[in-house]
Amino acid sequence: MADYEIPADLRYTREDEWARVEGERVTIGVTDYAQQQLGDIVNVELPAVGTAVERGEPFGVIESVKAVSDLYAPVTGEVVEANADLANHPEHVNEDCYGDGWMLSIRVADAAEIETLISAAEYRRHVEDRSTE
Amino acid sequence: MSLLRTPLFELHRRLGARLVPFAGFEMPVQYAGILAEHAAVRSAAGLFDVSHMGQLHLRGPGAVAALERLVSCPVASLKPGRVRYGLLCNEAGGIVDDVTVYRLAGDAFMLCVNAANVEKDWRWVVRHAGDGVSAADRSAETALLALQGPAAAAVLAPLCDVEPAGVRRFAFVEGRVAGRPALVSRTGYTGSDGFELYLDAGAGETVFEALLEAGRPHGLVPAGLGARDTLRLEAALPLYGHELDDTTSPLEAGLERFVKRGAGGFLGAEAIERRAAAGHPRALAGFVLDGRGVARAGHAILHEGRPVGRVTSGAPSPTLGKPIGLGYVPPALATPGTLVEIGIRDRGVPARIVRTPFLSS
């Protein structure tokens, strides 16, 4: 069974994204489980700063050699920063998904929405449920 | 329907492969990663389990005549110990399958066919073989390993009782590999040098493991179907179900050198000539993307803003560092240098028609 890094200090979605919450600013990316499932990432397309994103709606795409997947916004808000390095270095998502592979910082519209994100323990159970079929 | 497994399934699991459904089989798509496996095949060697592919054997006094009728390539002139690529065509000139024809002996042949088409091909062959031929589908009892890359001959040599370097391209010998009877064929589907090893199903795992062990110092890695696909695409080798199907003429697909012309006589020949005389509405072309994104099968190909065709295969080319693809366009636009766009999601990404194969080997 593969081992997945799931840092305890982050929040997660069931769509395999992580969120680092700092006040009303939430930085997001995809989890170690997601990047391992996708394999070699060759393209990441992110929205521009100032774009409004909506919780549960696609905001961009991530492509591996074999497949394209939508990226879903964990919270509603406005993009205040996007990781421009990923355009030329999509492999950062594979190499360091919780660090250099970050994707967006979002200013959340409604702080209460952060409580809908799941904990590391809950996300681990979610991953394990899917890995043991 | 439950998925079939090759004789090497448990070994793939032990090696940590990611297994996916492909052509009715549960197959390894990757081990360490597609890009690393692709690079290993181009620079050293990769080992693939392609036991899902089918092997149809034909023998008997009528075998030559049957195959001359069944496949698009010449068969009577094929010498024992040699392999030819050809097409099974239907009466409308479409492609039933693309196959390799092995002449095992004077009146004994093997067709290696696509996994997804084994049953269709079997029915087609039995229906059209005629008298004096006995046919057998040995797909389930055959393991097929592909050892591909510039180091392939060096990896194979110490395990093999024949000298692999002495086997010419599109030739094969019968010998032993790791002590097991094997048909050692200098063929492949990657655009790199290499061998395909036909074995008894029960020998597959032993030989795979022996090759991995012997090949490790040469940089050999196990490789999955993901890398097989990017490798064959760089070499512009067509994939049935993508570039080829029951409606495609071999000539539209650029496969004229595998079609015996004029003499006729094979199934579909007349329709192929008729379609050529009428003028093909489309031709297969290769393109390189000049913008961001990855072209995928099904994306529209646009010219001057208008859709003119469809992508049949697309992937990032690890060797070129750019996304590449194949697709059908009107023949007038299939010329290298033509500027097109690929419709990727809501954008038209600039692309250029280029000469294929994408890599000059």
Side-chain angles (χ1 to χ4, degrees):
Chain A
M1 182 63 58
D3 197 23
Y4 307 108
E5 189 192 347
I6 303 176
D9 60 332
L10 302 178
R11 306 293 288 271
Y12 297 87
T13 71
R14 292 177 192 279
E15 288 73 44
D16 304 301
E17 276 139 339
W18 57 263
R20 178 176 289 114
V21 181
E22 292 159 308
E24 63 174 16
R25 186 179 162 120
V26 174
T27 301
I28 65 166
V30 299
T31 65
D32 187 28
Y33 173 81
Q35 70 82 15
Q36 286 195 38
Q37 289 296 308
L38 288 162
D40 297 310
I41 307 298
V42 295
N43 185 37
V44 180
E45 293 177 15
L46 299 176
V49 169
T51 306
V53 297
E54 196 177 332
R55 179 176 159 232
E57 294 297 315
F59 67 78
V61 296
I62 185 164
E63 291 194 69
S64 66
V65 178
K66 288 300 286 177
V68 193
S69 307
D70 281 321
L71 293 162
Y72 295 94
V75 291
T76 300
E78 183 190 326
V79 176
V80 291
E81 212 180 335
N83 186 352
D85 288 346
L86 293 185
N88 293 321
H89 296 286
E91 70 276 11
H92 287 176
V93 177
N94 293 119
E95 292 161 358
D96 187 13
C97 64
Y98 299 111
D100 287 347
W102 71 277
M103 291 179 178
L104 300 179
S105 276
I106 299 167
R107 187 186 301 120
V108 292
D110 175 4
E113 231 177 48
I114 291 168
E115 296 314 310
T116 65
L117 300 170
I118 62 178
S119 68
E122 207 171 329
Y123 179 65
R124 181 170 290 283
R125 279 196 297 277
H126 179 59
V127 167
E128 283 167 359
D129 284 349
R130 286 179 295 173
S131 309
T132 52
E133 63 216 21
Chain B
M1 196 184 91
S2 72
L3 292 167
L4 301 170
R5 292 171 171 183
T6 78
L8 287 86
F9 179 82
E10 290 303 330
L11 175 60
H12 299 316
R13 223 187 236 179
R14 286 204 298 283
L15 291 169
R18 176 166 312 149
L19 296 151
V20 300
F22 180 83
F25 284 79
E26 200 168 358
M27 294 297 292
V29 65
Q30 64 167 67
Y31 301 82
I34 294 173
L35 297 178
E37 292 161 28
H38 182 111
V41 171
R42 289 284 181 247
S43 65
L47 182 59
F48 302 81
D49 172 22
V50 286
S51 301
H52 60 312
M53 295 190 75
Q55 290 78 32
L56 308 182
H57 288 244
L58 282 80
R59 70 168 63 230
V64 171
L67 284 163
E68 283 285 9
R69 195 160 56 245
L70 280 162
V71 299
S72 65
C73 60
V75 174
S77 59
L78 181 64
K79 294 192 183 86
R82 303 303 298 260
V83 189
R84 263 179 202 156
Y85 175 82
L87 306 150
L88 301 179
C89 295
N90 58 38
E91 289 92 340
I95 300 172
V96 176
D97 201 2
D98 63 333
V99 304
T100 44
V101 184
Y102 287 73
R103 190 164 198 169
L104 304 173
D107 64 357
F109 295 84
M110 175 177 75
L111 300 181
C112 185
V113 309
N114 281 295
N117 292 339
V118 174
E119 285 177 34
K120 179 176 76 164
D121 293 354
W122 173 249
R123 285 197 303 271
W124 186 256
V125 165
V126 168
R127 190 171 135 204
H128 294 285
D131 294 335
V133 183
S134 64
D137 175 0
R138 297 202 191 150
S139 306
E141 63 213 66
T142 306
L144 177 56
L145 310 185
L147 173 65
Q148 300 281 299
V155 170
L156 186 55
L159 291 176
C160 192
D161 67 351
V162 291
E163 174 51 49
V167 183
R168 290 155 65 193
R169 281 281 297 151
F170 283 91
F172 64 91
V173 294
E174 296 189 52
R176 282 177 176 268
V177 176
R180 305 302 189 104
L183 189 155
V184 178
S185 170
R186 192 128 193 202
T187 47
Y189 189 54
T190 58
S192 286
D193 185 22
F195 297 84
E196 291 175 300
L197 309 174
Y198 294 83
L199 306 155
D200 291 333
E205 187 171 315
T206 305
V207 174
F208 196 97
E209 286 192 297
L211 285 166
L212 273 190
E213 179 72 26
R216 198 166 295 127
H218 296 273
L220 174 72
V221 299
L225 294 185
R228 186 168 161 87
D229 193 47
T230 52
L231 289 158
R232 71 92 195 168
L233 185 59
E234 285 185 342
L237 297 169
L239 174 59
Y240 197 88
H242 286 253
E243 285 70 40
L244 315 178
D245 63 27
D246 293 294
T247 69
T248 315
S249 162
L251 305 188
E252 301 178 300
L255 300 175
E256 50 281 318
R257 67 189 183 282
F258 306 106
V259 176
K260 44 198 174 198
R261 306 293 298 272
F266 71 97
L267 284 162
E270 282 174 23
I272 289 168
E273 295 297 341
R274 209 161 48 236
R275 288 169 69 170
H280 293 293
R282 55 182 201 160
L284 189 64
F287 60 84
V288 171
L289 236 60
D290 288 320
R292 285 192 61 209
V294 181
R296 309 276 182 187
H299 287 167
I301 303 175
L302 306 129
H303 183 251
E304 295 174 346
R306 285 198 314 277
V308 292
R310 292 255 163 223
V311 175
T312 51
S313 293
S317 161
T319 309
L320 299 178
K322 283 182 166 223
I324 57 172
L326 294 170
Y328 282 99
V329 294
L333 299 178
T335 321
T338 304
L339 298 180
V340 294
E341 292 187 321
I342 308 301
I344 300 178
R345 294 176 283 281
D346 50 358
R347 295 175 297 136
V349 178
R352 256 174 313 125
I353 303 293
V354 297
R355 204 175 301 283
T356 56
F358 298 95
L359 300 184
S360 49
S361 55

